[in-house]
């Protein structure tokens, strides 16, 4: 992606909400997601003629600050509605990129974004980006992200433990591993991260139990 365009998007990501709050969170998340995509690309999951420029632009668009008056609904187990997120990212990308991105490139990135929530995305780039996003639900990163989300809702440590226990009880992880990935190598990575998550969740449960009278 063009350096000037990347800088413009980085400036947009420097404001984390529509109240003007400055911070590094969105920039860090975009860079981390792009590094993960690049790591997955090294596994040979996409053809040599894959649209890497459009893919990188889509990655940055996914982290653009969402409008607070169009808050993203979450399921009862706390998972954000991916379709709403990708549709809003596609809308925000047009203004965020401005004149620093060709219209044709924006169209390619938008097509990738809008294909992500489909059960079988039309584009291979969308499949890879969907898998990279779904990995965020697993491992210690997923654990921390859920704790942050619950904290924003006014919940605390007990609710974090309860949410993890419900995911195990309802077979959430089995369903996510089965339906949440398009590429088997990424599914294997998710399984490894899930074991790390379960270890941390167990340690938290043990500490909370020790605090009981």
């Amino acid at each position: 992606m063009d350096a000037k365009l990347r800088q413009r998007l980085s400036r947009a990501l420097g404001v984390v909400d529509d109240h003007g709050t400055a911070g590094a969170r969105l920039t860090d998340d975009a860079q981390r997601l792009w590094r993960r995509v690049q790591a997955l690309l090294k596994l040979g999951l996409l053809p040599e003629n894959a649209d890497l420029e459009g893919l990188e632009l889509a990655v940055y668009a996914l982290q653009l600050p969402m409008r607070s008056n169009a808050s993203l609904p979450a399921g009862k187990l706390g998972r954000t509605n991916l379709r709403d997120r990708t549709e809003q990212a596609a809308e925000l990308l047009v203004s965020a990129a401005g004149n620093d991105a060709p219209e044709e490139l924006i169209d390619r990135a938008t097509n990738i974004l809008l294909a992500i929530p489909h059960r079988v995305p039309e584009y291979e780039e969308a499949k890879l980006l969907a898998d990279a996003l779904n990995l965020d639900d697993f491992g210690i990163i997923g654990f921390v992200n859920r704790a942050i989300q619950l904290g924003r809702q006014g919940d605390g440590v007990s609710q974090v433990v309860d949410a993890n226990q419900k995911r195990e009880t309802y077979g959430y992880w089995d369903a996510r591993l089965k339906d949440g990935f398009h590429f088997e190598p990424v599914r294997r990575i998710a399984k490894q991260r899930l074991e790390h998550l379960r270890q941390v969740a167990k340690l938290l449960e043990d500490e909370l139990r020790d605090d009981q009278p």
Side-chain angles (χ1 to χ4, degrees):
M1 192 166 64
D2 179 76
K4 186 177 180 181
L5 174 58
R6 189 181 289 109
Q7 290 174 359
R8 182 185 179 103
L9 293 173
S10 295
R11 287 195 298 270
L13 294 171
V15 181
V16 300
D17 57 33
D18 54 7
H19 300 295
T21 306
R25 175 173 58 86
L26 298 179
T27 301
D28 289 346
D29 284 350
Q31 293 173 346
R32 179 170 55 83
L33 181 58
W34 179 235
R35 288 195 301 269
R36 181 185 306 152
V37 168
Q38 290 176 302
L40 296 180
L41 286 170
K42 293 179 180 178
L43 300 177
L45 301 178
L46 293 187
E48 292 184 0
N49 63 347
D51 182 8
L52 301 187
E53 191 177 18
L55 183 57
E56 184 179 7
L57 185 55
V59 165
Y60 275 78
L62 280 167
Q63 305 304 332
L64 290 170
M66 300 293 152
R67 298 183 296 270
S68 60
N69 63 347
S71 57
L72 303 181
K76 60 183 179 181
L77 293 180
R79 187 159 182 259
T80 301
N81 186 317
L82 183 58
R83 184 177 300 277
D84 285 353
R85 179 181 177 185
T86 54
E87 288 179 353
Q88 193 171 149
E91 294 176 9
L92 293 170
L93 175 59
V94 176
S95 58
N99 296 324
D100 289 326
E103 183 176 345
E104 188 265 343
L105 173 58
I106 293 178
D107 287 344
R108 281 159 34 210
T110 297
N111 289 336
I112 293 172
L113 288 166
L114 297 180
I116 288 173
H118 294 180
R119 186 173 182 84
V120 182
E122 179 180 356
Y123 306 101
E124 292 298 304
E125 294 86 353
K127 292 179 182 178
L128 184 70
L129 185 47
D131 280 16
L133 279 172
N134 286 335
L135 275 179
D136 252 355
D137 208 18
F138 290 79
I140 300 174
I141 290 175
F143 184 92
V144 171
N145 283 340
R146 277 191 300 284
I148 292 172
Q149 182 184 49
L150 290 171
R152 288 174 175 168
Q153 297 172 5
D155 292 327
V157 175
S158 296
Q159 286 71 40
V160 172
V161 170
D162 182 60
N164 286 318
Q165 290 175 340
K166 285 182 178 179
R167 288 189 167 202
E168 295 287 357
T169 300
Y170 297 146
Y172 173 85
W173 295 118
D174 291 338
R176 294 284 288 115
L177 285 170
K178 178 182 178 182
D179 300 328
F181 298 95
H182 303 285
F183 299 100
E184 187 58 34
V186 188
R187 183 178 286 108
R188 290 197 294 267
I189 295 173
K191 289 179 180 178
Q192 294 172 354
R193 291 191 175 193
L194 179 57
E195 292 307 311
H196 298 160
L197 183 154
R198 284 171 168 160
Q199 292 171 19
V200 173
K202 178 63 165 56
L203 290 171
L204 179 59
E205 288 181 33
D206 291 345
E207 286 193 7
L208 195 62
R209 191 179 302 113
D210 291 342
D211 289 340
Q212 301 299 322

